[in-house]
């Protein structure tokens, strides 16, 4: 059964990719969608088994690399962590597959698109099902590759191509960190299998490594490198710049890859490696700081953006920050819980946005929309559900997971924990404001689109709406249903015993009442505020913007990260490359090397030619000269 | 006496070239092409057969032939072990593809060209099979001549300049190597590698001899800063020439490093490790940056070859199992990938007569099949998991990490850069809008091009996912080789005290 989960998407991808033209686009759509759906159903069965029967397994498929002490296998590891990821990945993927049939209906390359989607699903599954770091790396790069393909899917757009390469390269920087982490692990343990590494981790707790004259604690170093990898994939601050640009890809892609699954791989990595991270409080602290900074920073940018997809992209960035700071304060299970609920509501928001974009004939700017809630009522309601879940409206899924994160940060009791909790609350308010701004600007107010008339607006077809309903159900109920399963870390039959390590058990206390109530109340209050600001009295935002022009520009330009990186890395690399080529290769090595030698030889031979003048008296003179020199030497000796 | 299978492998193409030499050349007569194709294919099948009957559990040289030659002073001794056999197969695989690609690229003197290619094959197989320094030297330097001719006669506009640059560089190193070989004969009284392995060369001579060999291998690898002949040679060489150059000729040096530099002079190798590390890392980062800025596709790929070979030299001198196995694997992988990339450039060059990146764009609209295979090769060059490029690079870096954190760290930066220049190249050529009018009429791959490129693409993917058959072949020999190396070093250190 596990084999089917993993390989059905691969087969679907191969069939649709290589034989798509032969079997026709409709058939490739059906094959890919149905294969992935079967895979999703099987995943749920496995998940049920894991929940109820504590089912665990580690299947070996084949040897991969076998060199000296390095033995790596292709494998499928089933435990609570991977089975949850299986469900998230295959479920969202199958929904996105079906939705794409409608969304991409006008595209001439449908089978290629479906093939990429299935291939992505396969890569993501190999990532989460791995029992060793190398297969994880395979999946890690594999999803990056598929993301590259899908962002650049509309290959005629220059912007899409640039975004695709940017995504791949920034991810490579993260992968570079991850690879170094893996090298270090192999160097220390002589193995890259999780089980060998996790069992021996306590042995090296106090070891140090010398690098550039400095001494580093080894566990900190491993964790640092692994986290760099996680930052790249999960678009955390400094390595986040690719995610907003990645919105150049088709919207279903954004929902699947850049919201629900791939970007959460970083969180998955940290949780999977909890046995290592637990020994490194310093890096856990760093994760908390990075997580909360990203959460706040991305939310602050989202408030001033006008592109509907970019707003949701920054929102994803911000929510990933939440997951990281949950992991950073040691609440790995809560990080997974937020990952789980987030997959539903963020995919819902993205696909909903896709439906809006579809209705507006590919318009993405929310200032060009407005007032259409009656025209596209289903989309409107679904988007509202997604927004409520995202902002943590009481009793929807986001409420349970996000508030739990803030509470656990508070319960951590440390200074960092309190700061994290405060920033968590602040971000929750910002989240609420930008989300409602999106809703109000898109659906309420006046109709602002000049390209298509209001009457022509139409609701999306059923094949796009039905998948959204499934996600909406998940967004509403997944928090309530699964909260006990995810929270339980102490019971005898608890879900996490085999996959997450807690050196110190999580606190079981509850924070004070006022604290628990703060976030939901603020979140609810911000709805009318947002309505007032963005629908009733639109002058206030304008006044605010005019009063704080520099801050607005700073946010609008995304904290100038792109410009900074161009200045620091991209342009210098190009300049140095050009300098090496022209000044060193051509003007130095060649000039003094081969070209220099050949010129030198020419010169010398030109000189040598002059000796052969053909005049006997010259030759005789030189002979005489030589003879007398020899004679002189002889006499002196 | 057993059937001399190695000698047959070496001599078969030579006999073929003689045969073609005596055939009357005639423009409408395609038979010489078929003859060369037939011969090279037969050689390929023979080498596969050799691989099948090769005893993978033994680290000894196998199928050894030893004949007296030159009045008993020097023997013609050939044989293979786990380290060399894969290179032989790589050679016999790539040569028929070169013959196939000749179809459209060579417009004049076809007969002579085929003779040159067949001679090259003989010499290249000879290099990988020789078990005697003098025999090795003859094959190694003999390979220069047909390559010189291929570039000089069938090359592009600046072919004479490039050919001489190539010759000047490589000859300089070879002279020193010849002197070193003579010295070895003078010291040890033999040039038989097996005997030399057993006897060992006294450590006082090792450093100077190592440097002499190094000067030859470094030029051919090529290592920084003696790499500048490579881009020029590639740009001017015809497609088949570039393919042989990148896929096989560069590997002769890498192979030489393992077999001779490390094998014969362990003490010196250990001493010069920092030098090799430094040059390799400079090669990886420096040439990657240069590759980023290239405007000519062939130059870009040539520079990327230097970077990839930098990984190889780095891996070899880690003296770890992962490093050396990774290097051998990387050489095989690079042989396939670079051959494929040069062939791919050849495909569009033939249609549009330009190698300048700017002249292309949006090819995916007219050449979808081409876009697919080129993507596979690009990913192989980038070293993405699932391709052979990944296995080699990753193992090398793992091996390096064991020895030097800093070296592994710096070399890993090259992994980021390789993605940058390859994907940027791909984007500028394949993606984007199809705007240039002369590109619209370009046809997709024809059948023979499909065949050639897929023959290379399949092993890149298969051995990327399942490299076990290759590792199986090399492991025993590498383990044994390293044991020998380590015991030599131990003895040396013990004597020193």
């Amino acid at each position: 059964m596990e084999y089917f989960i993993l390989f059905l998407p691969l087969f679907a991808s191969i069939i649709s990719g290589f034989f798509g033209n032969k079997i026709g686009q409709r058939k490739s759509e059906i094959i890919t969608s149905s294969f992935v759906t079967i895979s999703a159903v099987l995943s749920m069965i496995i998940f049920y088994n894991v929940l109820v029967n504590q089912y665990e397994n580690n299947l070996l498929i084949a040897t991969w690399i076998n060199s000296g002490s390095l033995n790596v296998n292709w494998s499928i590891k089933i435990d609570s962590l991977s089975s949850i990821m299986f469900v998230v990945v295959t479920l969202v993927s199958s929904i996105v597959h079906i939705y794409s049939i409608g969304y991409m209906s006008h595209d001439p390359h449908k089978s290629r698109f479906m093939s990429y989607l299935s291939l992505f699903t396969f890569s993501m599954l190999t990532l989460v099902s791995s029992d060793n770091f190398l297969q994880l790396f395979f999946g890690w790069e594999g999803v990056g590759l598929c993301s590259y393909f899908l962002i650049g899917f509309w290959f005629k757009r220059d912007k899409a191509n640039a975004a695709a390469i940017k995504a791949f390269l920034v991810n490579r920087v993260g992968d570079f960190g991850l690879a170094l982490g893996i090298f270090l692990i192999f160097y220390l343990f002589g193995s890259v299998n999780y089980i060998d590494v996790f069992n021996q981790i306590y042995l090296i707790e106090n070891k140090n490594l010398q690098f550039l004259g400095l001494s580093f604690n080894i566990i900190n170093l491993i964790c640092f490198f692994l986290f760099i990898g996680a930052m790249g994939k999960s678009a955390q601050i400094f390595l986040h710049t690719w995610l907003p640009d990645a919105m150049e890809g088709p919207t279903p892609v954004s929902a699947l890859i850049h919201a629900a699954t791939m970007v959460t791989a970083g969180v998955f990595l940290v949780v999977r490696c909890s046995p290592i991270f637990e020994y490194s409080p310093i890096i856990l602290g760093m994760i908390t700081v990075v997580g909360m900074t990203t959460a706040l920073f991305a939310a602050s940018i989202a408030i001033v953006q006008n592109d509907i997809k970019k707003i949701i992209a920054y929102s994803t960035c911000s929510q990933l920050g939440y997951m990281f700071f949950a992991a950073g304060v040691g609440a790995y299970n809560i990080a997974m819980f937020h990952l789980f609920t987030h997959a539903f509501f963020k995919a819902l928001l993205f696909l909903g946005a896709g439906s809006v974009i579809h209705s507006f004939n590919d318009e993405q700017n929310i200032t060009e929309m407005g007032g259409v809630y009656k025209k596209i009522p289903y989309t409107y309601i679904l988007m509202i559900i997604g927004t409520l879940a995202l902002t943590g409206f009481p009793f929807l899924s986001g409420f349970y997971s996000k508030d739990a994160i803030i509470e656990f940060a508070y319960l951590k009791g440390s200074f960092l924990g309190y700061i994290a909790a405060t920033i968590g609350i602040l971000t929750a308010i910002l989240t609420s404001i930008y989300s409602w701004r999106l809703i109000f600007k898109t659906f309420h107010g006046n109709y602002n689109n000049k390209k298509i008339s209001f009457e022509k607006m139409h609701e999306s077809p059923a094949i796009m709406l039905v998948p959204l309903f499934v996600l909406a159900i998940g967004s509403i109920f997944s928090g309530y249903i699964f909260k006990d399963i995810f929270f339980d870390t102490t019971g005898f039959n608890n879900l996490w015993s085999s996959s997450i390590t807690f050196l110190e058990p999580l606190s079981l206390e509850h924070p004070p009442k006022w604290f628990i109530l703060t976030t939901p109340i603020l979140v609810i209050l911000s709805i009318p505020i947002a309505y007032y600001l963005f629908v009733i009295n639109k002058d206030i935002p304008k006044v605010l913007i005019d009063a704080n022009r520099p801050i607005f520009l700073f946010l609008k330009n995304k904290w100038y990260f792109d410009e900074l990186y161009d200045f620091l890395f991209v342009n210098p690399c190009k300049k140095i490359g050009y300098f090496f080529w022209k000044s060193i290769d051509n003007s130095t090595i060649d000039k003094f090397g081969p070209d220099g030698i050949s010129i030198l030889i020419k010169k010398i031979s030109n000189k040598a030619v002059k000796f052969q003048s053909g005049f006997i008296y010259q030759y005789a003179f030189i002979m005489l000269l030589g003879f007398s020199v020899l004679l002189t030497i002889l006499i002196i000796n | 006496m057993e059937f001399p299978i190695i000698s047959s492998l070496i001599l078969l193409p030579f006999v073929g070239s003689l045969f073609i030499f005596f055939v009357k050349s005639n423009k409408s007569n395609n038979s010489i092409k078929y003859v060369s194709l037939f011969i090279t294919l037969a050689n390929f099948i023979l080498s596969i057969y050799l691989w099948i009957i090769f005893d993978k559990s033994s680290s000894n040289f196998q199928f050894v032939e030893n004949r007296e030659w030159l009045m008993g002073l020097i023997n013609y001794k050939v044989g293979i072990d786990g380290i060399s056999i894969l290179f032989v197969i790589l050679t016999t695989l790539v040569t028929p593809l070169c013959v196939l690609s000749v179809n459209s690229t060579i417009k004049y003197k076809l007969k002579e060209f085929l003779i040159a290619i067949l001679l090259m094959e003989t010499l290249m197989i000879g290099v990988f099979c020789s078990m005697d320094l003098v025999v090795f030297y003859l094959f190694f330097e003999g390979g220069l001549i047909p390559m010189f001719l291929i570039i000089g006669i069938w090359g592009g506009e600046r072919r004479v300049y490039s050919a001489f640059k190539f010759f000047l560089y490589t000859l300089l190193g070879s002279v020193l190597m010849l002197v070193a070989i003579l010295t070895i004969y003078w010291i040890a009284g033999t040039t038989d590698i097996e005997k030399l392995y057993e006897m060992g060369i006294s450590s006082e001579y090792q450093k100077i001899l190592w440097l002499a060999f190094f000067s030859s291998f470094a030029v051919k690898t090529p290592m920084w800063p003696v790499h500048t002949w490579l881009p020029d040679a590639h740009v001017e060489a015809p497609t088949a020439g570039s393919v042989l150059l990148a896929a096989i000729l560069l590997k002769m040096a890498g192979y030489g490093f393992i077999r001779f530099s490390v094998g014969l002079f362990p003490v010196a190798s250990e001493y010069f490790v920092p030098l090799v590390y430094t040059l390799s890392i400079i090669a990886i980062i420096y040439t990657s940056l240069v590759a980023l800025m290239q405007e000519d596709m062939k130059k870009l790929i040539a520079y990327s070859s230097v970077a990839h070979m930098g990984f190889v030299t780095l891996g070899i001198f880690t003296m770890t199992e992962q490093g050396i196995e990774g290097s051998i694997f990387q050489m095989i992988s690079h042989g396939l990938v670079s051959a494929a990339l040069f062939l791919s450039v050849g495909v569009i060059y033939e249609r549009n007569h330009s190698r300048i990146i700017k002249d292309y764009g949006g090819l995916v609209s007219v050449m979808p099949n081409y876009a697919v295979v080129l993507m596979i090769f690009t990913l192989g060059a980038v070293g993405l998991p699932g391709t052979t490029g990944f296995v080699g690079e990753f193992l090398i870096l793992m091996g390096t990490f064991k020895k030097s954190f800093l070296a592994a760290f710096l070399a890993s930066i090259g992994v980021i850069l390789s993605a940058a220049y390859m994907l940027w190249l791909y984007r500028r050529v394949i993606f984007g809008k199809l705007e240039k009018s002369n590109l619209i009429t370009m046809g997709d791959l024809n059948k023979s091009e499909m065949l050639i490129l897929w023959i290379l693409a399949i092993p890149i993917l298969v051995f990327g996912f399942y490299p076990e058959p290759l590792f199986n072949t090399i492991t025993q020999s590498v383990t044994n080789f390293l044991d020998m190396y380590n015991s030599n070093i131990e003895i040396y250190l013990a004597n020193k005290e």
Side-chain angles (χ1 to χ4, degrees):
Chain A
M1 189 147 79
E2 289 86 349
Y3 290 104
F4 281 107
I5 298 180
L6 189 60
F7 288 110
L8 276 177
L10 179 66
F11 289 138
S13 166
I14 291 172
I15 294 171
S16 151
F18 285 101
F19 308 104
N21 290 333
K22 289 199 185 114
I23 58 171
Q25 310 222 337
R26 176 58 59 181
K27 273 190 189 148
S28 14
E29 284 168 0
I30 293 172
I31 287 177
T32 47
S33 307
S34 55
F35 277 26
V36 175
T37 311
I38 295 171
S39 177
V41 173
L42 294 177
S43 305
M44 284 187 242
I45 296 174
I46 295 267
F47 182 52
Y48 179 79
N49 256 331
V50 172
L51 274 187
V52 177
N53 305 328
Q54 273 79 42
Y55 171 72
E56 268 180 36
N57 209 342
N58 198 350
L59 298 162
L60 296 184
I61 304 174
T63 355
W64 185 15
I65 298 176
N66 192 353
S67 165
S69 54
L70 177 68
N71 293 302
V72 184
N73 293 314
W74 295 107
S75 57
I76 306 179
K77 182 184 171 76
I78 302 285
D79 65 355
S80 49
L81 192 55
S82 59
S83 62
I84 290 171
M85 291 303 286
F86 270 24
V87 172
V88 171
V89 172
T90 52
L91 185 63
V92 177
S93 176
S94 58
I95 287 169
V96 167
H97 270 82
I98 295 166
Y99 176 91
S100 301
I101 297 177
Y103 189 83
M104 301 297 281
S105 56
H106 304 300
D107 198 284
H109 301 290
K110 281 187 287 268
S111 31
R112 188 161 63 93
F113 183 77
M114 299 310 260
S115 165
Y116 288 160
L117 281 185
S118 300
L119 186 65
F120 167 80
T121 313
F122 167 72
S123 310
M124 191 69 202
L125 290 174
T126 52
L127 192 164
V128 297
S129 70
S130 168
D131 76 344
N132 61 67
F133 282 99
L134 221 56
Q135 186 186 332
L136 173 100
F137 194 77
F138 169 85
W140 198 263
E141 295 256 287
V143 291
L145 176 72
C146 296
S147 150
Y148 165 81
F149 284 147
L150 286 165
I151 296 170
F153 182 75
W154 285 315
F155 55 81
K156 286 183 181 163
R157 296 186 190 172
D158 273 344
K159 264 182 143 183
N161 287 322
I165 290 192
K166 186 173 175 186
F168 196 86
L169 288 183
V170 177
N171 266 303
R172 268 251 152 165
V173 176
D175 298 349
F176 160 74
L178 178 59
L180 285 176
I182 297 174
F183 297 150
L184 194 57
I185 284 170
F186 176 66
Y187 167 68
L188 289 170
F189 303 104
S191 169
V192 290
N193 295 330
Y194 293 149
I195 190 157
D196 301 334
V197 176
F198 296 162
N199 286 340
Q200 294 177 49
I201 195 78
Y202 66 94
L203 292 175
I204 56 156
E205 202 177 344
N206 295 316
K207 271 196 185 170
N208 285 318
L209 182 82
Q210 305 294 327
F211 177 55
L212 293 177
L214 299 170
S215 174
F216 295 95
N217 178 281
I218 280 195
I219 294 192
N220 286 342
L221 208 57
I222 293 178
C223 292
F224 176 75
F225 284 134
L226 293 180
F227 182 56
I228 294 285
M231 279 172 75
K233 196 105 290 177
S234 294
Q236 293 301 288
I237 189 166
F238 302 121
L239 294 178
H240 67 281
T241 53
W242 63 273
L243 185 61
D245 288 25
M247 296 302 127
E248 289 294 333
T251 309
V253 173
S254 314
L256 176 61
I257 300 185
H258 306 120
T261 55
M262 185 184 87
V263 287
T264 60
V267 181
F268 169 79
L269 176 69
V270 173
V271 176
R272 173 59 90 199
C273 297
S274 61
I276 310 181
F277 279 97
E278 277 291 279
Y279 283 92
S280 175
I282 297 177
I283 302 298
L284 281 181
M286 179 182 143
I287 294 176
T288 314
V289 172
V290 169
M292 68 194 193
T293 317
T294 310
L296 186 64
F297 135 90
S300 74
I301 294 178
I303 285 192
V304 298
Q305 298 300 314
N306 283 330
D307 184 316
I308 185 166
K309 283 181 74 183
K310 287 213 168 147
I311 297 173
I312 308 180
Y314 276 109
S315 158
T316 306
C317 216
S318 169
Q319 298 303 310
L320 289 166
Y322 270 111
M323 295 176 208
F324 274 112
F325 86 66
V329 297
Y332 304 102
N333 53 331
I334 308 299
M336 285 308 291
F337 188 33
H338 197 52
L339 187 160
F340 183 72
T341 56
H342 175 255
F344 289 106
F345 56 71
K346 194 49 67 69
L348 175 61
L349 279 174
F350 260 121
L351 294 181
S355 175
V356 173
I357 295 168
H358 198 75
S359 306
F360 274 99
N361 272 350
D362 297 333
E363 179 58 66
Q364 300 196 6
N365 191 334
I366 52 170
T367 56
E368 306 274 309
M369 301 176 180
V372 290
Y373 65 94
K374 277 186 188 155
K375 278 282 180 182
I376 43 176
Y378 296 113
T379 308
Y380 173 62
I381 291 168
L382 290 164
M383 286 288 278
I384 294 268
I385 293 174
T387 303
L388 287 172
L390 165 68
T391 54
F393 194 82
F395 312 115
L396 270 68
S397 59
F399 165 74
Y400 292 102
S401 55
K402 191 190 287 184
D403 282 14
I405 291 175
I406 297 170
E407 282 162 26
F408 272 103
Y410 177 85
L411 286 176
K412 182 84 177 165
S414 63
F415 176 64
L416 195 61
Y418 290 131
I419 293 186
T422 317
I423 288 189
I425 295 172
L426 198 59
T427 308
I429 300 166
L430 288 178
T431 308
S432 184
I433 292 176
Y434 70 68
S435 304
W436 288 108
R437 169 175 176 264
L438 186 154
I439 293 288
F440 293 140
K441 284 218 167 196
T442 311
F443 295 102
H444 293 262
N446 301 321
Y447 184 76
N448 291 323
N449 197 299
K450 294 171 193 84
K451 287 183 200 134
I452 36 175
S453 66
F454 185 67
E455 283 70 34
K456 277 192 184 163
M457 289 294 303
H458 60 88
E459 183 61 278
S460 299
I463 195 153
M464 288 167 67
L465 291 176
V466 172
L468 291 183
F469 277 112
V470 180
L471 288 174
I473 291 167
S475 307
I476 298 171
F477 299 110
S478 66
Y480 179 73
I481 296 174
F482 289 101
K483 66 177 191 306
D484 296 329
I485 296 169
F486 277 92
F487 285 174
D488 180 20
T489 57
T490 46
F492 178 68
N493 277 337
N494 82 68
L495 181 64
W496 302 110
S497 57
S498 64
S499 48
I500 297 181
T501 304
F502 299 98
L503 279 189
E504 292 167 26
L506 284 180
S507 164
L508 290 175
E509 292 166 32
H510 288 283
K513 271 258 162 56
W514 64 267
F515 186 83
I516 297 180
L517 289 175
T518 315
T519 327
I521 289 173
L522 286 171
V523 162
I524 295 169
L525 275 181
S526 58
I527 302 175
I529 295 175
Y531 189 75
Y532 181 75
L533 285 178
F534 300 114
V535 180
I536 296 179
N537 197 343
K538 288 183 187 167
D539 293 335
I540 297 179
K542 270 185 197 154
V543 172
L544 274 174
I545 288 170
D546 288 337
N548 303 301
R549 199 89 204 151
I551 297 177
F552 172 73
L553 282 177
F554 184 66
L555 294 178
K556 186 86 187 162
N557 288 303
K558 310 149 199 165
W559 291 32
Y560 294 103
F561 265 109
D562 284 332
E563 289 75 6
L564 184 71
Y565 285 172
D566 277 351
F567 176 73
L568 281 182
F569 302 113
V570 181
N571 294 333
C573 267
K574 287 184 178 175
K575 274 187 194 146
I576 293 170
Y578 195 77
F579 170 77
F580 279 164
W581 175 29
K582 290 289 181 193
S583 307
I584 299 195
D585 264 19
N586 289 355
S587 310
T588 313
I589 297 178
D590 275 0
K591 195 173 167 192
F592 295 106
D595 295 356
I597 290 173
S598 62
I599 290 170
L600 198 70
I601 290 173
K602 257 187 204 162
K603 272 187 189 161
I604 293 173
S605 58
N606 275 337
K607 292 256 163 70
V609 163
K610 285 179 186 156
F611 281 108
Q612 297 179 337
S613 55
F615 298 111
I616 301 227
Y617 66 87
Q618 274 191 1
Y619 296 163
F621 177 70
I622 288 177
M623 270 168 71
L624 192 67
L625 208 69
F627 183 69
S628 43
V629 169
L630 279 177
L631 206 66
T632 322
I633 293 169
L634 210 70
I635 291 168
I636 291 170
N637 280 357
Chain B
M1 184 173 161
E2 280 177 51
F3 177 70
I5 186 166
I6 302 280
S7 290
S8 329
L9 262 177
I10 298 176
L11 288 177
L12 195 60
F14 177 66
V15 173
S17 70
L18 277 183
F19 185 77
I20 294 176
F21 183 71
F22 289 115
V23 171
K24 203 175 169 193
S25 110
N26 178 341
K27 281 216 168 153
S28 61
N29 185 358
N30 268 332
S31 60
I32 47 172
K33 262 186 248 164
Y34 293 124
V35 170
S36 6
L37 188 61
F38 175 75
I39 286 172
T40 47
L41 274 181
N43 225 19
F44 174 64
I45 292 165
L46 193 61
S47 66
I48 292 290
Y49 172 70
L50 185 71
W51 191 19
I52 293 169
I53 60 172
F54 178 80
D55 180 7
K56 297 176 180 72
S57 59
S58 157
S59 62
N60 293 330
F61 282 95
Q62 301 176 32
F63 313 105
V64 177
E65 293 166 37
N66 197 354
R67 284 163 222 275
E68 256 185 28
W69 188 44
L70 292 184
M71 299 166 297
L73 288 176
I74 290 157
N75 287 354
Y76 166 82
K77 191 174 180 190
V78 290
I80 48 165
D81 69 350
I83 297 175
S84 53
I85 183 168
L86 293 180
F87 293 103
V88 174
I89 296 169
L90 180 67
T91 313
T92 56
L93 170 69
V94 169
T95 320
L97 300 181
C98 287
V99 174
L100 270 176
S101 80
V102 154
N103 258 341
S104 36
T105 49
I106 301 299
K107 308 281 184 228
Y108 52 93
K109 294 195 181 169
L110 181 62
K111 180 175 135 182
E112 287 77 3
F113 189 79
L114 289 171
I115 292 176
I117 288 203
L118 288 175
L119 277 179
M120 273 301 282
E121 185 176 15
T122 287
L123 296 166
M124 292 181 303
I125 297 175
V127 165
F128 297 123
C129 297
S130 351
M131 292 172 61
D132 186 285
L133 281 173
V134 176
V135 179
F136 170 77
Y137 183 79
L138 290 177
F139 282 126
F140 191 71
E141 296 309 326
L144 257 177
I145 300 161
M147 200 63 217
F148 177 70
L149 295 175
I150 288 175
I151 298 173
I153 298 175
W154 292 276
E157 278 166 21
R158 294 173 71 227
R159 56 177 180 264
V160 177
Y161 170 76
S162 300
F164 273 100
K165 203 170 175 182
F166 168 69
F167 203 74
L168 205 63
Y169 258 121
T170 40
L171 199 68
L172 194 77
S174 348
V175 173
L176 293 173
M177 186 162 80
L178 181 63
V179 175
I181 291 174
L182 293 177
T183 318
I184 290 175
Y185 186 77
W186 177 63
I187 301 170
T190 179
T191 49
D192 184 322
I193 294 170
E194 270 185 314
K195 284 186 195 153
L196 286 171
Y197 278 170
E198 265 172 42
M199 292 194 301
I201 292 172
S202 99
S203 49
E204 51 190 311
Y205 296 112
Q206 282 198 12
K207 278 177 198 163
I208 188 85
L209 291 174
W210 188 93
L211 281 174
F213 272 81
F214 178 74
S215 63
S216 175
F217 294 147
V219 167
K220 281 239 169 98
T221 309
M223 291 176 84
W224 188 88
V226 285
H227 63 280
T228 59
W229 62 271
L230 188 74
D232 281 316
H234 270 310
V235 168
E236 299 306 324
T239 303
S242 289
V243 170
L244 285 182
L245 190 58
I248 321 285
L249 240 68
L250 304 188
K251 310 301 172 292
M252 302 194 324
Y255 171 76
F257 270 127
I258 301 178
R259 179 74 84 213
F260 303 107
S261 295
V262 180
L264 292 177
F265 319 121
V267 177
S269 298
E270 188 76 18
Y271 179 79
F272 285 113
V273 160
L275 172 74
V276 177
Y277 275 12
T278 314
L279 293 183
S280 306
I281 285 165
I282 293 178
I284 292 169
I285 294 177
Y286 174 106
T287 48
S288 296
L289 286 170
V290 176
L292 199 59
M293 295 314 292
Q294 294 306 309
E295 290 142 7
D296 182 313
M297 285 185 242
K298 268 189 152 181
K299 265 200 174 169
L300 194 153
I301 301 167
Y303 274 109
S304 84
S305 290
V306 181
H308 282 127
M309 290 307 285
F311 276 103
V312 170
T313 45
L314 183 68
I316 292 172
F317 282 84
T318 59
M319 317 291 181
T320 58
E321 217 162 313
Q322 284 82 26
I324 294 188
E325 286 186 6
S327 290
I328 296 175
F329 202 89
Q330 169 83 345
M331 282 194 265
I332 302 294
S333 158
H334 179 252
L336 298 169
V337 172
S338 63
L341 285 171
F342 281 118
L343 284 166
S344 307
V345 174
V347 165
I348 51 175
Y349 179 72
E350 215 176 283
R351 287 166 170 67
N352 198 33
H353 303 288
S354 168
R355 289 184 310 259
I356 305 301
I357 299 170
K358 258 188 272 173
D359 293 349
Y360 292 94
L363 284 187
V364 66
S365 310
V366 282
M367 303 178 77
N369 290 331
Y370 179 71
V372 172
V373 280
L374 187 59
M375 181 43 96
I376 295 174
F377 304 141
T378 303
L379 296 177
V382 168
L384 205 87
T387 65
T388 48
F390 169 75
V391 182
E393 257 176 33
F394 212 76
L395 277 180
I396 289 170
L397 290 173
M398 278 191 157
T400 311
F401 202 98
K402 280 187 173 173
K403 290 297 168 82
S404 162
F405 182 69
L406 182 64
F409 181 84
L410 292 172
S412 301
I413 295 175
V415 178
I416 303 177
L417 291 172
S418 73
Y421 62 72
M422 284 313 294
L423 290 180
W424 200 28
L425 169 72
Y426 190 84
R427 173 196 161 190
R428 286 179 291 171
V429 174
I430 300 293
F431 289 146
K433 273 195 198 118
L434 189 71
E435 276 164 343
K436 300 176 180 76
S437 54
N438 51 340
L439 298 182
I440 293 170
T441 51
M442 278 174 70
D444 207 346
L445 298 176
N446 60 34
K447 273 192 183 148
S448 79
E449 287 163 343
M450 279 286 255
L451 180 72
I452 296 176
L453 294 178
W454 275 106
I455 286 178
L456 290 167
I458 287 168
I460 290 174
L461 293 174
V462 169
F463 292 128
F465 280 97
Y466 191 65
E468 191 58 22
L470 304 189
F471 282 125
N472 232 336
T473 315
I474 57 183
T475 303
Q476 273 304 324
S477 296
V478 171
T479 319
N480 191 47
F481 185 80
L482 269 176
D483 287 345
M484 188 180 81
Y485 175 83
N486 288 328
S487 66
N488 271 327
I489 295 286
E490 271 168 32
I491 292 169
Y492 169 73
L493 291 177
N495 286 342
K496 210 174 165 189
E497 283 165 13

